[in-house]
Amino acid sequence: AQKITQTQPGMFVQEKEAVTLDCTYDTSDPSYGLFWYKQPSSGEMIFLIYQGSYDQQNATEGRYSLNFQKARKSANLVISASQLGDSAMYFCAMRELSSGSARQLTFGSGTQLTVLP
Amino acid sequence: DVKVTQSSRYLVKRTGEKVFLECVQDMDHENMFWYRQDPGLGLRLIYFSYDVKMKEKGDIPEGYSVSREKKERFSLILESASTNQTSMYLCASSLPGVRGNEQFFGPGTRLTVL
């Protein structure tokens, strides 16, 4: 079964608008971490934001925030005031902390975001 | 800043060749990882290592092996390359306990097997 699901293969947003990229996850581990990475066309993976399952507040990093809804098992990325440089592939990932594979990240299939001028 | 480097950005090999992909990190990280990235599939873990000479299989280890003789270097080996191993290969490293074990990635190697 898919552990990380990103249902939007592609998204468009107007420059300066906000955009939400969806991510749902599946785990029975009570302790886990959720990550978002950005991959521009150059190929490198850039860490954006992290949310721990026991964190009380939603994570924020500059223009990025994570809308964490634990009961719904969703961890959507919100980008405010989109910029042309935000055009990239975005990956959601999860690490299950209690399992034997606690060092591994499981990635979703990604969402290609295009910011329009 | 953490630096993860990979030996080649682009590589073209022939079916049956032995292929070495090298990855080096300069931050004394314990954990290192090899992923392959294919369109629509995201990143899939091939192998990872949590210490020198230690390795564990990821989700898709078939057709690959790895070597970690020094802490900073993690090599991915394709013993006999096949066309279905044409892909983007990404190396990553992480330090336990830092921001949820955030992984730092190299720039990737785009491998084409003809």
Side-chain angles (χ1 to χ4, degrees):
Chain A
Q2 287 270 16
K3 285 196 171 180
I4 295 283
T5 304
Q6 294 180 253
T7 56
Q8 308 151 314
M11 287 277 287
F12 291 89
V13 65
Q14 209 67 43
E15 196 178 5
K16 298 182 185 148
E17 300 282 315
V19 62
T20 298
L21 306 184
D22 294 341
C23 173
T24 58
Y25 59 91
D26 183 26
T27 181
S28 56
D29 191 337
S31 182
Y32 53 91
L34 296 156
F35 301 76
W36 277 92
Y37 282 84
K38 171 185 177 182
Q39 186 181 41
S41 56
S42 52
E44 76 274 22
M45 296 280 283
I46 301 166
F47 167 82
L48 295 179
I49 198 165
Y50 167 76
Q51 178 88 43
S53 59
Y54 293 117
D55 293 344
Q56 295 297 313
Q57 305 227 346
N58 285 350
T60 59
E61 294 274 355
R63 293 187 299 112
Y64 304 108
S65 60
L66 202 151
N67 184 2
F68 181 46
Q69 297 188 42
K70 197 169 181 176
R72 296 179 61 186
K73 292 189 174 177
S74 76
N76 298 340
L77 177 71
V78 181
I79 305 174
S80 63
S82 298
Q83 301 171 357
L84 296 177
D86 294 334
S87 293
M89 182 73 90
Y90 288 81
F91 290 98
C92 180
M94 176 176 67
R95 188 170 77 89
E96 294 167 303
L97 302 178
S98 306
S99 73
S101 56
R103 295 177 182 87
Q104 295 180 242
L105 281 180
T106 302
F107 284 83
S109 56
T111 296
Q112 179 69 48
L113 176 67
T114 302
V115 180
L116 303 170
Chain B
D1 273 354
V2 176
K3 194 86 171 163
V4 181
T5 56
Q6 294 182 229
S7 49
S8 307
R9 291 298 305 268
Y10 300 93
L11 209 52
V12 180
K13 295 290 181 181
R14 298 236 172 246
T15 302
E17 279 193 79
K18 190 168 185 174
V19 182
F20 292 87
L21 302 183
E22 304 283 339
C23 175
V24 177
Q25 50 94 3
D26 66 358
M27 285 300 290
D28 205 34
H29 283 178
E30 295 174 8
N31 303 324
M32 296 188 75
F33 308 81
W34 274 107
Y35 296 89
R36 64 175 283 175
Q37 181 181 3
D38 300 288
L41 297 177
L43 278 71
R44 293 178 293 166
L45 183 66
I46 305 171
Y47 267 97
F48 69 99
S49 168
Y50 51 89
D51 202 351
V52 174
K53 296 193 188 296
M54 306 300 285
K55 61 186 179 185
E56 284 197 28
K57 293 180 180 179
D59 298 319
I60 49 163
E62 296 79 19
Y64 303 95
S65 62
V66 290
S67 171
R68 192 159 181 209
E69 297 295 319
K70 293 185 178 181
K71 193 173 185 180
E72 67 271 19
R73 188 179 297 269
F74 191 35
S75 303
L76 180 70
I77 303 152
L78 288 67
E79 294 288 343
S80 178
S82 63
T83 55
N84 62 12
Q85 292 178 310
T86 291
S87 186
M88 169 75 104
Y89 290 87
L90 290 160
C91 174
S93 71
S94 74
L95 193 62
V98 176
R99 211 156 46 172
N101 282 26
E102 172 193 344
Q103 292 188 9
F104 297 85
F105 284 82
T109 296
R110 190 167 292 282
L111 173 67
T112 302
V113 182
L114 301 174

